[in-house]
Amino acid sequence: MTQSSHGPIDETLDDSDAQLGKPDRGWRRTLFSVIFESGSRAGRLFDLVLIAVIVASVTVVILDSVQPIRQRAGPVFGVLEWVFTVLFALEYLGRLACVRHPWRYATSFYGVIDLLAVLPTFLATFTPELAYLIDVRVLRLLRVFRIFKLSRYSAEYRVLVSAVAASRRKITVFVGFVMLVVLVMGTLMYVVEGPVHGFTSIPVAVYWAISTMATVGFGDLVPKTDIGRAIASVMMLLGWGVLAVPTGIVTAEMARRPRDEDGAVYPTGAARGLLSIGIAPAAAPPPRRLTPAARRRALAQHRRVRR
């Protein structure tokens, strides 16, 4: 464990949280340890409770969108929503209060997600319920962003994000190549099939090419000529490679991620949270026991060397 001017650095604190600034002493330091770290019993309990509240809140939002359930339990959902909103608001204010750089936290990814977890409820309350101004239900649906708060407790999620970020140039080049193929094949299909068979414009033909290459095949546009069917067959075969290449790029990048001493793959400085359970370290192989014959040979060789 490394040391700093403020004492030992907690190993459960990742780089993104460390940049917020841990207070030196007092109640802010204690609150920081509970909210941002999971090494103590209080920190683990806080994480467990918050994960349960997040899952319950998203479940309520999903059930509230089902009309029969909403008609029976609408008032209950309204009360639960305000309870969840108050809890998330207290958590957000607590995070702002216990860090030395609150603005840095407020503008971070997790800070924005935490704000989106509480903002829609208040906006839906203070916004006039006029259909031509705003649909309040749209604001209610924004609460599903709370599910992204779970990402802070999963090191595996951070591994995937870092791998995708490291592969962004390769993926960008690949996407550019795919768009080039889609544009060329869509234009060719527009020339071959034409408006008579539903390909009324090049954008429509490109839409067909994208849905075909993605192996979705909605069936709303179907080539009728033999040449068009041959082009469609080529697009379908290309679709297999299109699905495989990005997966291979990200997988190769994840394989190059540094491993911690326990054998779990993490980005540099990561590994925090209840869900960041690494792979158990491989047990050391037991020492091989020598047979009597092998012992005699080793002893004889040792005697020859001494002579």
Side-chain angles (χ1 to χ4, degrees):
M1 181 180 299
T2 59
Q3 301 285 334
S4 68
S5 59
H6 304 300
I9 298 176
D10 197 312
E11 292 179 351
T12 61
L13 184 65
D14 63 25
D15 286 348
S16 60
D17 292 341
Q19 293 175 359
L20 303 177
K22 185 175 182 178
D24 297 336
R25 62 183 67 85
W27 64 269
R28 295 178 62 199
R29 182 180 179 89
T30 303
L31 187 60
F32 187 96
S33 300
V34 173
I35 293 180
F36 285 96
E37 300 174 1
S38 59
S40 63
R41 182 176 181 181
R44 289 192 296 269
L45 180 61
F46 177 84
D47 290 349
L48 283 173
V49 172
L50 188 57
I51 289 173
V53 172
I54 293 170
V55 174
S57 174
V58 175
T59 303
V60 168
V61 174
I62 294 174
L63 294 178
D64 192 38
S65 65
V66 181
Q67 200 64 25
I69 299 178
R70 186 183 182 188
Q71 291 176 355
R72 293 196 303 267
V76 177
F77 288 161
V79 173
L80 289 176
E81 181 52 42
W82 274 108
V83 171
F84 294 142
T85 300
V86 170
L87 292 176
F88 288 134
L90 292 176
E91 180 221 355
Y92 182 71
L93 294 176
R95 292 182 183 274
L96 288 175
C98 69
V99 297
R100 289 192 292 176
H101 307 289
W103 179 248
R104 188 178 297 176
Y105 162 72
T107 55
S108 65
F109 171 77
Y110 292 118
V112 173
I113 293 299
D114 292 340
L115 182 61
L116 288 176
V118 299
L119 197 59
T121 303
F122 293 105
L123 290 178
T125 302
F126 295 108
T127 302
E129 296 184 2
L130 298 177
Y132 61 89
L133 288 180
I134 190 170
D135 191 351
V136 178
R137 294 196 64 190
V138 174
L139 296 176
R140 294 170 61 103
L141 294 178
L142 291 178
R143 296 176 207 149
V144 298
F145 278 96
R146 293 169 181 170
I147 201 67
F148 288 103
K149 289 165 65 69
L150 287 175
S151 63
R152 124 175 33 246
Y153 305 101
S154 176
E156 288 75 14
Y157 170 84
R158 294 194 292 272
V159 170
L160 179 60
V161 171
S162 62
V164 173
S167 308
R168 60 184 180 275
R169 297 186 63 179
K170 297 178 182 178
I171 294 178
T172 301
V173 172
F174 173 74
V175 171
F177 170 76
V178 170
M179 294 304 299
L180 177 63
V181 173
V182 165
L183 180 61
V184 171
M185 299 297 279
T187 304
L188 185 60
M189 183 63 72
Y190 169 73
V191 173
V192 172
E193 296 290 332
V196 180
H197 298 146
F199 295 83
T200 56
S201 64
I202 292 180
V204 172
V206 169
Y207 155 77
W208 168 86
I210 293 175
S211 61
T212 303
M213 179 173 283
T215 68
V216 176
F218 293 110
D220 51 348
L221 287 176
V222 180
K224 303 297 182 180
T225 64
D226 294 337
I227 299 178
R229 290 171 180 170
I231 296 175
S233 300
V234 174
M235 293 293 295
M236 294 174 191
L237 294 176
L238 286 176
W240 291 81
V242 168
L243 294 176
V245 171
T247 305
I249 293 175
V250 177
T251 302
E253 186 62 35
M254 291 181 67
R256 288 196 292 267
R257 295 290 92 186
R259 294 175 176 268
D260 68 0
E261 60 183 4
D262 292 334
V265 181
Y266 293 115
T268 304
R272 177 215 177 251
L274 298 177
L275 301 184
S276 58
I277 301 176
I279 303 173
R288 294 193 307 174
R289 302 183 61 181
L290 297 177
T291 62
R295 289 179 182 176
R296 288 194 296 269
R297 288 196 298 269
L299 182 59
Q301 184 177 3
H302 178 67
R303 289 175 177 174
R304 288 195 298 268
V305 172
R306 293 184 60 182
R307 292 176 182 176

